């Protein structure tokens, strides 16, 4: 069970060591100490290992992740799990802006709050935020699911495509072309699956959520919509 | 007065409200929407044509064509990358998206570039196996949309180009209209078929130079510091943009002037935002020189490069390499007069056809329609591109030898004069026959 102390090892060495691991490595559980909010920690991983970061991480933690599970016992900066393809990223604290930006797959769980632009341009990722999210979240969100147990800020889902948004608390305002939609059984089942994956039990009831998605009114440019652009 | 024989004055068009302007007002009034088109600016701008080389004479001696060597190779990405790129010619192929172009057109670009020993570049929409397979050196664009972005392609690439802007539309995002969204394009971009795809104008997870520095660091970490990282900007405030790109850690800066082509943008954007490449190169080079980074961070310039003379002039002004988009498409067969009848049916004519956003390109290049796309043979088209690239290189060498240079990079501003005051001021070279550069005092 390797332990990497970033007070002694450089981030570049840490990332290089993780990239060099073969797919069938026995070193499946890594611990990183003294992260001190450094940027680009555990980025570009592509092996089914777990990396636990004991402390805060800076920008782009676990960026472009594939297969790996990255757990941050602290807060993260901008763009955690940006463009993730698969695997799981779990932040035990809060996340800054653009959490899960453009991510194509995998699961991002944030125990605390996430700031503005959470899930911006998301392309298939599942994101579960146990706290609240900031303004302009899910802007141009293409696909995937964003689940928020707390509240959402202004302009949620502006110019959204096919992503599904589930919010349990209040939504300050909806962005252009984003509307509330019926929460049907299929959505409830999907929501349950996401909550389970995020380690939330039945005390969180799917019936308490509202679903938001695209009105699909801006999918093809139309002159009469020009004030919406 | 002989009232019967008053000379007839011909009807006179206004220079301000010329026929094109009048037609555009009527079109706007009828439709309520701006004109969208492909290509670059169509108006006349100060350009490389306004510069001339002096050539060697008594004070300088030339090199013998066919005998004395004039090298053309270029290294890109020598600042930080473990694996910099070495190209045989400084003429590279600019980023053009699969989606805007057909798969076969992308393949042809890769084939042509590979024969010529140069690089080609992906675009908005991701990397296709056709282009990776056929491109010996492939630059992978990192765009705000991040369509198809993934770490495997990042590692498969030979360099990464962070796109901040394009000369045709600095400050604008991309546009791919529903007509061009085939199943494959929709799948690669993870969007429903048939809808208009807007590519964002800003990156979703960084804004400003301080963030860009961290973003570049992340890309380097993901790829273990192997790949050169380019930053592409549209020409607007080249001095500051280049300085900030260098400060952010770029290995290479790509500077695209307003003549640069686009797949689809509002005409008003293409014609009125940004500055000509001629005006942008010197400030960019000055920024590199002020930072002690000229030739250490390489500068690639683009926007309206057509001939070896343009290449030589761009290099003489201080660029390390150039990129071509429109000219490469023409070499493949874009706007070929052989399809004149079909251009007419589309309300255009060969040489003027620019409705690339519609996906009905008779030449089969800017389309996703399988029947039209099948008209382009990627092997033959690639060969044409390779021939053209070879001519550009030979022409640039011809000029460089005449100026006495044993490498294209030895061309310098002192080899140039300007034909017009505008070009003289913009390029910072004297007006021909004088030692005067407007705006500069000695
Ligand atoms: C059809 C087409 C598609 C383009 N797509 C992209 C793109 O995806 N990304 C990008 O940075 N630039 C794109 N460009 C701009 C080119 O990379 C380049 O900046 C420009 O074409 C250079 O100017 P030139 O066309 O005058 O040679 C595109 C240009 C054309 C003509």
């Amino acid at each position: 069970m390797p332990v990497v102390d970033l007070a002694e090892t450089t981030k570049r060495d840490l990332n290089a060591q993780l990239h060099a691991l073969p797919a069938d490595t026995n070193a499946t559980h890594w611990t990183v100490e003294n992260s001190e909010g450094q940027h680009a920690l555990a980025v570009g991983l592509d092996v089914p290992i777990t990396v636990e970061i004991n402390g805060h991480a800076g920008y782009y933690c676990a960026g472009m992740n594939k297969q790996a599970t990255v757990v941050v016992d602290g807060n993260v900066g901008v763009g955690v799990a940006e463009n993730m393809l698969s695997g799981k990223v779990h932040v035990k604290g809060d996340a800054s802006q653009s959490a899960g930006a453009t991510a194509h797959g995998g699961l991002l769980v944030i125990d605390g709050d996430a700031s503005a632009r959470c899930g911006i341009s998301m392309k298939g990722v599942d994101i579960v935020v146990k706290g609240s999210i900031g303004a302009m979240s899910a802007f141009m969100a293409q696909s995937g699911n964003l689940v928020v147990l707390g509240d959402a800020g202004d302009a949620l889902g502006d110019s959204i495509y096919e992503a599904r948004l589930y919010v349990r608390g209040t939504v300050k305002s909806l962005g252009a072309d984003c509307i509330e939609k019926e929460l049907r059984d299929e959505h409830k089942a999907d929501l349950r699956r996401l909550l389970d994956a995020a380690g939330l039990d039945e005390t969180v009831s799917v019936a308490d959520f509202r679903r938001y998605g695209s009105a699909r009114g801006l999918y093809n440019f139309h002159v009469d919509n020009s004030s919406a652009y | 007065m002989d009232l019967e024989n008053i000379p007839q004055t011909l009807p006179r068009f206004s220079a301000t409200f010329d026929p094109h302007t009048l037609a555009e007002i009527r079109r706007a009034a009828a439709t309520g929407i701006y004109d969208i088109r492909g290509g670059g600016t169509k108006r006349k701008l100060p350009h490389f044509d306004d510069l001339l080389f002096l050539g060697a004479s008594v004070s300088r001696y030339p090199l013998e064509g066919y005998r004395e060597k004039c090298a053309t190779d270029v290294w890109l990405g020598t600042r930080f990358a473990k694996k910099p790129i070495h190209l045989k010619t400084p003429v590279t192929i600019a980023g053009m998206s699969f989606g805007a172009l057909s798969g076969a057109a992308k393949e042809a670009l890769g084939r042509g570039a590979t024969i010529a020993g140069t690089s080609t570049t992906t675009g908005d929409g991701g990397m296709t196996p056709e282009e990776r397979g056929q491109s010996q050196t492939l630059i992978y664009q990192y765009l705000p949309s991040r369509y198809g972005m993934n770490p495997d392609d990042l590692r498969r690439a030979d360099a990464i180009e962070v796109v901040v802007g394009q000369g045709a539309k600095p400050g604008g995002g991309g546009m791919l209209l529903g007509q061009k969204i085939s199943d494959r394009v929709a799948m690669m971009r993870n969007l429903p078929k048939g809808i208009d795809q807007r590519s964002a104008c800003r990156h979703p997870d960084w804004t400003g130079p301080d963030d860009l520095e961290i973003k570049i660091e992340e890309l380097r970490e993901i790829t273990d510091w192997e790949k050169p990282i380019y930053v592409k900007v549209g020409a607007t405030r080249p001095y500051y943009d280049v300085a900030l790109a260098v400060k952010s850690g770029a290995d290479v800066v790509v500077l695209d002037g307003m003549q640069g082509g686009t797949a689809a943008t509002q005409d008003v954007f293409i014609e009125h935002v940004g500055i000509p490449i001629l005006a942008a190169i010197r400030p960019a080079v000055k920024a590199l020189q002020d930072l002690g980074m000229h030739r250490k961070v390489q500068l690639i310039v683009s926007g309206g490069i057509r001939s070896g003379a343009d290449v030589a002039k761009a290099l003489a002004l201080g660029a390390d390499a150039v990129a071509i988009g429109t000219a490469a498409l023409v070499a493949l067969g874009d706007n070929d007069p052989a399809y004149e009848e079909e251009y007419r049916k589309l309300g255009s004519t060969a040489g003027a056809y620019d409705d690339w956003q519609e996906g009905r390109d008779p030449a089969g290049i800017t389309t996703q329609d399988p029947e039209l796309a099948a008209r382009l043979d990627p092997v033959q088209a690639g060969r044409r591109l390779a021939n053209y690239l070879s001519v550009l290189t030979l022409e640039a060498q011809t000029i460089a030898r005449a100026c006495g240079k044993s490498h294209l990079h030895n061309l310098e501003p002192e080899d140039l004069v300007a034909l017009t005051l505008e070009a003289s001021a913009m390029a910072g070279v004297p007006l021909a026959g004088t030692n005067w550069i407007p705006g500069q005092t000695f």
Side-chain angles (χ1 to χ4, degrees):
Chain A
M1 302 295 109
V3 177
V4 178
D5 185 350
L6 288 178
E8 284 159 15
T9 308
T10 63
K11 152 178 69 186
R12 217 196 272 199
D13 285 340
L14 166 68
N15 283 325
Q17 282 179 48
L18 297 173
H19 295 164
L21 294 173
D24 58 352
T25 178
N26 289 325
T28 55
H29 196 115
W30 291 62
T31 309
V32 177
E33 302 290 352
N34 287 309
S35 56
E36 302 282 0
Q38 285 197 59
H39 305 308
L41 293 176
V43 293
L45 305 191
D46 193 7
V47 269
I49 58 168
T50 297
V51 178
E52 252 182 284
I53 299 174
N54 282 323
H56 304 310
Y59 281 42
Y60 312 131
C61 179
M64 300 223 187
N65 187 53
K66 277 177 85 180
Q67 300 192 65
T69 298
V70 178
V71 182
V72 184
D73 199 352
N75 302 326
V76 291
V78 171
V80 62
E82 66 86 16
N83 212 79
M84 171 161 61
L85 276 284
S86 62
K88 181 178 170 182
V89 176
H90 179 188
V91 179
K92 295 191 176 172
D94 297 322
S96 179
Q97 298 188 41
S98 302
T102 76
H104 293 69
L107 173 68
L108 169 62
V109 179
I110 296 164
D111 290 351
D113 298 325
S115 180
R117 300 188 178 87
C118 178
I120 183 170
S121 196
M122 54 194 273
K123 298 172 177 19
V125 67
D126 291 327
I127 304 177
V128 180
V129 181
K130 296 181 188 169
S132 297
I133 57 171
M136 291 301 285
S137 288
F139 174 65
M140 290 179 91
Q142 296 178 210
S143 60
N145 300 286
L146 172 61
V147 180
V148 183
L149 273 63
D151 304 326
D154 264 321
L156 177 70
D158 194 282
S159 305
I160 187 172
Y161 294 101
E162 294 296 298
R164 288 173 174 176
L165 315 180
Y166 302 97
V167 183
R168 190 169 68 165
T170 59
V171 173
K172 193 154 176 222
S173 67
L174 291 173
D177 212 29
C178 185
I179 52 168
E180 182 170 352
K181 295 185 157 185
E182 190 191 347
L183 188 72
R184 295 193 300 270
D185 287 344
E186 60 181 286
H187 305 119
K188 287 182 183 163
D190 214 24
L191 189 48
R192 186 76 261 160
R193 172 184 68 80
L194 294 162
L195 293 170
D196 285 347
L200 292 160
D201 61 20
E202 301 285 336
T203 55
V204 179
S205 164
V206 294
D208 293 341
F209 286 80
R210 291 170 156 212
R211 180 169 78 97
Y212 305 89
S214 180
R216 304 188 177 106
L218 301 181
Y219 274 14
N220 292 93
F221 187 90
H222 194 275
V223 191
D224 297 332
N225 288 335
S226 57
S227 60
Y229 294 102
Chain B
M1 198 160 51
D2 179 0
L3 289 177
E4 296 209 337
N5 287 311
I6 297 176
Q8 186 65 47
T9 310
L10 288 176
R12 182 179 181 188
F13 285 103
S14 161
T16 309
F17 290 90
D18 65 1
H20 175 78
T21 307
L22 296 173
E24 179 49 26
I25 292 173
R26 287 186 200 104
R27 195 204 57 76
T31 63
I33 182 162
Y34 40 54
D35 183 30
I36 293 175
R37 66 172 178 87
T41 174
K42 291 193 164 183
R43 59 154 124 185
K44 190 161 170 50
L45 290 168
H47 199 35
F48 295 118
D49 290 338
D50 303 321
L51 301 181
L52 295 172
F53 280 100
L54 291 175
S57 52
V58 182
S59 61
R60 297 171 177 226
Y61 59 90
L63 296 184
E64 194 63 52
Y66 303 106
R67 288 282 181 276
E68 286 172 305
K69 196 168 168 56
C70 175
T72 62
D73 67 317
V74 59
W75 284 93
L76 298 166
T78 48
R79 184 186 187 192
F80 288 124
K82 283 187 211 160
K83 295 186 176 167
I85 286 173
H86 190 209
L87 303 178
K88 284 190 194 149
T89 169
V91 186
T92 65
I93 306 300
M96 293 182 271
S97 66
F98 168 71
L101 303 186
S102 71
K106 289 298 286 176
E107 178 184 336
L109 292 172
R111 286 179 179 275
T114 300
I115 299 171
T118 190
S119 62
T120 179
T121 313
T122 67
D124 216 352
M127 186 188 285
T128 63
E130 292 98 318
E131 66 182 333
R132 177 61 282 190
Q134 298 304 332
S135 309
Q136 193 183 12
T137 307
L138 181 61
I139 320 301
Y140 187 32
Q141 283 199 330
Y142 188 75
L143 293 121
S145 69
R146 312 276 166 88
Y147 289 137
M149 173 51 55
N150 71 81
D152 301 323
D153 286 343
L154 214 55
R155 294 188 188 100
R156 266 192 279 272
D158 298 293
I160 300 159
E161 181 168 304
V162 179
V163 179
V164 179
Q166 250 177 271
K169 47 178 177 183
M175 205 175 320
L176 194 63
L177 299 189
Q179 303 90 300
K180 287 179 82 166
I181 315 296
S182 65
D183 287 322
R184 184 175 176 202
V185 173
M187 199 182 74
M188 278 183 72
R189 298 178 181 221
N190 203 292
L191 280 170
K193 202 180 160 185
I195 74 170
D196 296 345
Q197 297 189 352
R198 285 160 296 150
S199 308
C201 67
R202 288 195 308 271
H203 282 262
D205 55 356
W206 66 269
T207 33
D210 296 335
D211 283 6
L212 175 57
E213 184 173 356
I214 306 172
K215 176 49 78 178
I216 288 178
E217 185 192 21
E218 183 207 7
L219 295 171
R220 291 201 192 278
E221 285 291 330
I222 291 173
T223 53
D224 293 315
W225 291 74
E226 281 183 356
K227 322 275 176 196
I229 299 204
Y230 300 12
V231 172
K232 175 174 180 175
V233 293
T236 55
R237 300 172 187 84
Y239 183 86
Y240 296 105
D241 286 339
V242 169
L244 290 170
V246 171
K247 182 239 160 217
S248 304
D251 291 304
V252 175
V253 180
V254 182
L255 180 67
D256 190 25
M258 77 174 284
Q259 294 96 333
T262 171
T265 302
Q266 296 91 335
D267 177 78
V268 71
F269 209 147
I270 299 174
E271 296 289 355
H272 298 279
V273 186
I275 64 172
I277 193 62
L278 187 70
I281 301 178
R282 289 309 286 277
V285 173
K286 176 91 170 54
L288 294 170
Q289 287 167 339
D290 287 353
L291 294 166
M293 284 295 183
H294 190 217
R295 305 286 185 220
K296 292 181 186 150
V297 168
Q298 287 80 31
L299 177 68
I300 302 180
V301 303
S302 57
I305 303 256
R306 306 148 297 176
S307 66
D310 291 349
V311 176
K313 289 169 188 176
L315 266 46
L317 292 176
D320 296 274
V322 304
I324 58 168
T326 306
L329 299 187
V330 174
L332 297 188
D334 171 66
N335 266 292
D336 189 336
Y339 293 112
E340 178 60 16
E341 214 171 298
E342 294 184 49
Y343 289 120
R344 291 277 162 124
K345 282 189 205 142
L346 296 170
S348 191
T349 182
Y353 177 70
D354 58 13
D355 282 325
W356 299 346
Q357 76 284 357
E358 289 180 350
R360 295 194 286 167
D361 183 359
I365 294 170
T366 57
T367 183
Q368 296 300 321
D369 178 310
E371 271 175 39
L372 290 172
R375 292 181 178 182
L376 187 85
D377 176 339
V379 178
Q380 280 175 19
R383 186 68 250 178
R384 283 196 294 274
L385 176 61
N387 289 342
Y388 172 63
L389 287 167
S390 162
V391 170
L392 291 183
T393 311
L394 288 168
E395 286 179 344
Q397 278 176 307
T398 302
I399 288 172
R401 283 203 187 89
C403 295
K405 315 293 183 185
S406 59
H407 196 294
L408 291 183
H409 287 151
N410 296 345
L411 287 164
E412 53 196 331
E414 287 68 26
D415 294 315
L416 291 167
V417 292
L419 278 170
T420 65
L421 284 180
E422 288 85 353
S424 173
M426 289 177 185
V429 300
L431 189 65
T434 77
N435 57 6
W436 183 47
I437 303 173
Q440 289 188 17
T441 44
F442 296 96

